[in-house]
Amino acid sequence: LRTKLSRKGIEVLQASNGKEAIDVLLASLITLSPCTQSDCKRIGLILMDVDMPILNGIEATKELVEMQKENKIPEIYIVGCSAFDSKEDVQQALDAGMQDYLSKPVNEEKLDKVLNRFLLR
């Protein structure tokens, strides 16, 4: 997935677990350049693996959504990714606050649709 995104010219920040994903996001808010008309370096989309150690993607998403509600972080779209794609799995992700869901292995066409919908506006 990282390779697919990099080939599209998208900068990727990576985390190994849900807690690290939150930490990477918070650190990026401090270290990335502020947005200007011509160049915006803020994170606009999180592709959140649902099944991660320490803090899974569902719980990490709930924490991020709560931070958004409290205006601690800007609005960031979260799309779940998992090999588990039953209706219940997808609904659990959406209920946690994810805006969409990609099944693994991620299909290039579906990835493009998600990127166009949430990131490349």
Side-chain angles (χ1 to χ4, degrees), residues 1-8 10 102-103 105-116:
L1 188 56
R2 181 183 183 100
T3 303
K4 288 179 183 180
L5 294 168
S6 294
R7 272 189 268 138
K8 295 175 185 301
I10 297 170
L102 290 170
S103 299
V106 175
N107 171 292
E108 189 94 24
E109 185 178 322
K110 289 181 182 179
L111 177 62
D112 286 343
K113 285 181 182 178
V114 164
L115 294 175
N116 287 325

Side-chain angles (χ1 to χ4, degrees), residues 6-99:
S6 294
R7 272 189 268 138
K8 295 175 185 301
I10 297 170
E11 183 179 352
V12 177
L13 301 176
Q14 193 167 337
S16 300
N17 61 65
K19 181 184 179 324
E20 188 177 314
I22 292 170
D23 292 344
V24 166
L25 171 66
L26 294 176
S28 77
L29 294 173
I30 296 167
T31 60
L32 290 179
S33 306
C35 292
T36 64
Q37 291 293 76
S38 61
D39 184 30
C40 185
K41 292 284 189 182
R42 84 172 183 89
I43 295 173
L45 175 66
I46 297 172
L47 296 176
M48 181 75 76
D49 193 323
V50 172
D51 187 30
M52 292 188 292
I54 301 176
L55 184 67
N56 69 41
I58 298 294
E59 294 306 316
T61 296
K62 288 177 182 177
E63 287 191 29
L64 291 170
V65 167
E66 190 59 34
M67 285 186 230
Q68 289 176 27
K69 287 179 183 175
E70 295 171 355
N71 294 315
K72 293 180 179 177
I73 61 172
E75 179 181 18
I76 300 168
Y77 299 107
I78 305 170
V79 174
C81 299
S82 180
F84 303 105
D85 63 353
S86 71
K87 285 184 180 183
E88 293 81 15
D89 293 324
V90 174
Q91 191 59 53
Q92 182 183 24
L94 297 175
D95 289 346
M98 294 179 184
Q99 283 79 24

